[in-house]
């Protein structure tokens, strides 16, 4: 019997119109949809793709605990991969819905390494939050020989300084409770004036503003900071 295909489908950063035509085709053709939900919240990828799903598609929700230890998260991915594997063995394609792009800090990598060697795998790239944020901020990120660093805000201050010191432009993801730490580093490095804060990009709740105007010490999980290239010299 021919097994099904593992489909990693990027659904973009929020706006259902930012799904690619290919993503739409794959997610509507798949008899089974899978997604990861975290922190007791509904899956964002499932919400984004929701308007495009068809009646009768089976769904696999890989639910991560509120604050999962690495062991608990591993166990949830093992169990999810096993459920997906069962569908693939029955010859059914499974479309794993991924917020933004599947391979940019995506939980899809957890399933890819568990299932990718055993089943035919197709990955449909998605519009990442970084690209959507640059568009929303209407700013060039990099031109010509500039470099762009993608930096997790979870790094310690020294590592943030080192990464930021070596790049022309940066996108700092996973801001959340690390907002104040990032703001301090950017201030020390005289990058604060250039920094743009982007929250829930491409959704009705989108906020785009200079980081200097953001109050409070924490930000929502779906927020990032762009340090676009400096002005033309
Ligand atoms: C685990 S990463 C996933 C990135 C995603 N795969 C992508 O391609 O954009 C989650 C982080 O991406 C950023 N992010 C994702 N979606 C976002 C959105 N709609 N608005 C702002 N930031 C977003 C936030 O920094 C968030 O903490």
């Amino acid at each position: 019997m021919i097994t099904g295909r593992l489909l990693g489908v990027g659904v973009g950063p929020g706006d259902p119109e930012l799904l690619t035509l290919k993503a739409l085709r794959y997610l509507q053709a798949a008899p089974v949809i899978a997604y990861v939900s975290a922190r007791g919240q509904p899956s964002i990828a499932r919400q984004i793709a929701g308007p495009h799903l068809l009646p009768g598609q089976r769904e696999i929700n890989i639910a991560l605990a509120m604050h999962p230890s690495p062991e608990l998260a591993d166990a949830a991915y093992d169990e999810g991969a096993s459920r997906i594997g069962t569908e693939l063995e029955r010859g059914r394609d499974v479309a794993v819905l991924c917020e933004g792009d599947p391979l940019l800090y995506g939980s899809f990598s957890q399933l890819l390494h568990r299932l990718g060697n055993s089943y035919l795998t197709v990955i449909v790239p998605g519009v990442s939050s970084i690209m959507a944020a640059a568009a929303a901020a209407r700013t060039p990120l990099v031109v010509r020989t500039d470099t762009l660093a993608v930096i997790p805000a979870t790094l310690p201050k020294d590592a943030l300084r080192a990464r930021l010191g070596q790049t022309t432009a940066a996108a700092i993801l996973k801001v959340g409770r690390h907002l104040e730490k990032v703001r301090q580093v950017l201030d020390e490095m005289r990058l604060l004036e250039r920094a743009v804060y982007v929250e829930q990009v491409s959704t009705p709740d989108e906020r785009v503003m200079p980081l200097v105007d953001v109050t409070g010490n924490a930000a929502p999980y779906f927020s990032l900071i762009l340090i676009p290239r400096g002005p033309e010299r």
Side-chain angles (χ1 to χ4, degrees), residues 13-15 18 99 127-141 153 170-176 179 182-183 186 192 194-215 218-228:
D15 180 350
L18 287 180
E99 199 267 336
V127 175
S128 85
S129 55
I130 300 172
M131 274 47 244
R138 292 186 288 276
T139 179
L141 275 179
I172 304 176
L173 272 60
K174 307 186 186 190
V175 177
L179 176 64
V182 173
R183 195 163 29 206
L186 295 177
L192 195 53
R194 258 204 268 158
V196 183
Y197 172 83
V198 184
E199 183 179 310
Q200 309 245 24
V201 69
S202 85
T203 76
D205 299 319
E206 174 179 291
R207 293 170 75 212
V208 182
M209 63 180 78
L211 182 58
V212 284
D213 293 345
V214 177
T215 54
Y221 179 71
F222 283 101
S223 62
L224 58 83
I225 293 168
L226 291 182
I227 319 290

Side-chain angles (χ1 to χ4, degrees), residues 133-156:
R138 292 186 288 276
T139 179
L141 275 179
V142 275
V143 302
R144 294 188 287 276
T145 54
D146 292 348
T147 58
L148 171 68
V150 179
I151 304 174
T154 47
L155 289 177

Side-chain angles (χ1 to χ4, degrees), residues 57-77:
Q57 288 181 296
R58 293 157 64 96
E59 299 196 17
I60 296 174
N61 178 12
I62 302 171
L64 299 183
M66 192 68 90
H67 299 292
S69 62
E71 294 75 23
L72 269 182
D74 265 351
Y77 285 121

Side-chain angles (χ1 to χ4, degrees), residues 5 17 24 29 49 52 55 87 98 131 177 181 194 232:
R5 294 172 304 168
E17 287 193 4
L24 183 61
H52 303 295
E87 299 291 349
C98 310
M131 274 47 244
R177 63 193 168 84
K181 174 184 66 182
R194 258 204 268 158
E232 290 281 351

Side-chain angles (χ1 to χ4, degrees), residues 9-14 18 45 48 98-104 124-129:
V9 181
V11 298
L18 287 180
I48 296 169
C98 310
E99 199 267 336
D101 180 85
L103 300 178
L104 186 85
V124 182
V127 175
S128 85
S129 55

